[in-house]
Amino acid sequence: MKILVVNCGSSSLKYQLIDMDNESVIAKGLCERIGIEGSKLTHQPAGKDKYELESPMPDHKVAIQLVMDALQDKDHGVISSVDEISAIGHRVLHGGTTYSESIVVDEDVKRVIRECFDLGPLHNPANLMGIEACEAAMPGKANVAVWDTGFGMAMPEKAYLYAIPHEYYEKYGVRRYGFHGTSHMFVSGEAIKFGGLDPENAKVIVCHLGNGASISASIGGKCVDTSMGLTPLEGLIMGTRSGDLDPAVVQYICNKENRDVNDVLNILNKKSGVLGMSGVSSDFRDIAAAKAEGNHLAEVALDAFIYRVAKYIGAYTAAMNGVDAIAFTAGVGENDKATRKAICSYLGYLGVKIDDAANDVRGKNAVISAADSKVKVMLLPTNEELAIARETKRLTQ
Ligand code: AMP
């Protein structure tokens, strides 16, 4: 069974064709600059040379057709006919309060994706375009929506409601949704399997630390709390996003600089985080290099990032009345042993002990805590595409 996984942004389309018999990637690639001059397809078939094509892509329909052509091409293709693709799984950002579970797309699902354009203005329209492009290119095949907000929908009211007048929740769905849901679902499941934990009761904290960063607490794989909110701006300090902040800061900067709210929100999303704090870069490697050269603000940015993660781990341990395992994932979590160790250095009170030799690892499943650590600490690479493919298989088999 072969499943195509599609992740559309407003001007991009990422794809992977996965053979679900052994969960291997047969081909993957990216269409860039869709709707902009200079559109380009990069196609990487497993075990063959990379293929690049510069060709106009006025919209996602044209892009997906070029992907279909590349997948079936006699030189760099991997399938002889579209019939070999059983179904298509789509990453969809926002399912609002309607959907918590992945679902086969029909007209109702498309209506909800459309209704959530306000909640996910950059992603939901692109996600819908991707679905409609696949419907046109592969008529009759099932398309499955896997929601980035799905995992967070299991949060109880006390965790997802903001302390603002209830009418805003009722009228507009203003609540905490959480994002990176596919990653948190995948990694919390892996933590239970790889860590040999009780599937029904394991208390797991997943730290997804990449350019976007979020943290979740789950019991038996069900989300108890997660750090992103109505939008991905809430929670941890990120590459360019501020994370938690007194909302009065927005008004204060608006007044001082004669800016409007949209302007300041743009600053909080794109020019803040470790980039804004350090003035160096949003890339954690650049900041670590600047710190090594004695840049004080780079050092403070890294310290603040680590401190915020440690505070959330403490809060989530309290929320669950304990923690069995902490898992690190995404770019920083999978590659940066110093940051993992620095976060865990705050957790001695939980009986967390890191094994330095075991922590000297990148990008593969590993237990990095010492044998006598009271909490199992793990590195578990995330794989959102595989998680989407598994959901698609489950719903269409
Ligand atoms: P992601 O968003 O998950 O792709 O993660 C991207 C982030 O991972 C970038 O900001 C990089 O700074 C960070 N990253 C990747 N490799 C390393 C590394 N070896 N050390 C520190 N940060 C890293």
Side-chain angles (χ1 to χ4, degrees):
M1 183 184 203
K2 296 185 179 94
I3 289 185
L4 182 67
V5 176
V6 173
N7 181 357
C8 282
S10 49
S11 64
S12 68
L13 186 160
K14 285 190 219 149
Y15 63 94
Q16 282 194 8
L17 185 64
I18 301 181
D19 182 348
M20 294 309 286
D21 295 339
N22 54 14
E23 296 193 332
S24 65
V25 177
I26 309 169
K28 63 180 175 181
L30 167 69
C31 299
E32 294 166 277
R33 301 181 64 84
I34 299 170
I36 312 171
E37 212 175 308
S39 313
K40 182 176 161 194
L41 163 78
T42 308
H43 173 74
Q44 178 66 68
K48 293 189 197 171
D49 288 342
K50 191 194 279 180
Y51 164 71
E52 292 181 340
L53 172 72
E54 283 184 26
S55 173
M57 297 180 208
D59 57 32
H60 288 72
K61 281 201 174 105
V62 176
I64 202 78
Q65 201 50 60
L66 290 173
V67 172
M68 291 295 112
D69 294 345
L71 288 170
Q72 296 172 85
D73 187 89
K74 65 176 172 31
D75 294 326
H76 41 262
V78 289
I79 51 174
S80 50
S81 141
V82 174
D83 291 342
E84 287 184 46
I85 299 174
S86 300
I88 306 107
H90 297 263
R91 174 180 185 265
V92 183
L93 183 80
H94 224 299
T97 52
T98 312
Y99 293 120
S100 53
E101 299 287 328
S102 310
I103 189 164
V104 177
V105 175
D106 61 11
E107 289 308 312
D108 279 342
V109 175
K110 287 200 267 182
R111 180 179 46 76
V112 171
I113 297 173
R114 235 175 258 120
E115 284 169 4
C116 293
F117 278 6
D118 277 353
L119 287 166
L122 295 180
H123 294 85
N124 268 38
N127 301 151
L128 185 61
M129 280 193 277
I131 289 170
E132 291 179 335
C134 287
E135 286 175 336
M138 291 169 277
K141 301 233 185 258
N143 287 275
V144 170
V146 180
W147 313 98
D148 212 39
T149 50
F151 186 74
M153 292 308 288
M155 275 189 276
E157 279 175 309
K158 65 184 174 188
Y160 75 67
L161 284 178
Y162 288 115
I164 59 174
H166 193 65
E167 63 182 285
Y168 298 121
Y169 171 64
E170 287 179 346
K171 284 202 279 196
Y172 312 122
V174 177
R175 55 161 279 173
R176 307 185 56 257
Y177 289 91
F179 296 85
H180 291 149
T182 315
S183 176
H184 286 287
M185 173 181 74
F186 181 84
V187 177
S188 56
E190 288 293 296
I192 289 172
K193 272 191 261 164
F194 188 73
L197 308 176
D198 174 358
E200 301 297 321
N201 302 302
K203 296 172 177 173
V204 175
I205 294 176
V206 172
C207 308
H208 177 113
L209 310 180
N211 193 30
S214 63
I215 178 165
S216 70
S218 61
I219 301 182
K222 284 220 159 28
C223 181
V224 168
D225 208 338
T226 187
S227 58
M228 286 176 164
L230 176 73
T231 76
L233 186 54
E234 190 178 340
L236 302 179
I237 296 173
M238 310 182 209
T240 63
R241 296 187 198 124
S242 64
D244 295 338
L245 176 96
D246 179 348
V249 169
V250 177
Q251 182 199 36
Y252 196 75
I253 296 176
C254 283
N255 290 343
K256 286 284 181 197
E257 299 229 322
N258 201 18
R259 290 174 185 265
D260 73 9
V261 171
N262 294 321
D263 244 11
V264 176
L265 261 287
N266 196 41
I267 292 169
L268 297 182
N269 269 305
K270 301 203 173 133
K271 296 186 177 160
S272 298
V274 289
L275 166 69
M277 286 186 81
S278 68
V280 171
S281 165
S282 62
D283 190 303
F284 285 81
R285 287 163 292 199
D286 297 342
I287 299 172
K291 174 186 163 180
E293 283 168 11
N295 182 321
H296 175 65
L297 289 181
E299 182 176 357
V300 175
L302 276 183
D303 284 351
F305 172 80
I306 288 160
Y307 177 64
R308 180 84 53 96
V309 178
K311 280 210 297 187
Y312 263 92
I313 292 174
Y316 285 175
T317 302
M320 296 193 289
N321 191 17
V323 58
D324 297 312
I326 298 168
F328 288 99
T329 198
V332 179
E334 291 171 27
N335 292 297
D336 186 356
K337 64 180 177 184
T339 295
R340 291 193 298 262
K341 183 165 166 140
I343 291 167
C344 290
S345 72
Y346 281 94
L347 308 176
Y349 72 101
L350 291 175
V352 168
K353 282 191 204 163
I354 293 300
D355 177 329
D356 285 337
N359 187 36
D360 191 7
V361 63
R362 293 173 72 156
K364 63 173 189 181
N365 283 6
V367 173
I368 59 169
S369 48
D372 61 344
S373 177
K374 290 211 180 94
V375 179
K376 202 169 254 188
V377 184
M378 290 176 269
L379 185 175
L380 299 170
T382 191
N383 192 338
E384 292 169 81
E385 290 79 12
L386 180 57
I388 292 170
R390 284 181 183 165
E391 286 289 272
T392 305
K393 178 180 172 186
R394 183 174 67 79
L395 288 167
T396 58
Q397 220 172 18

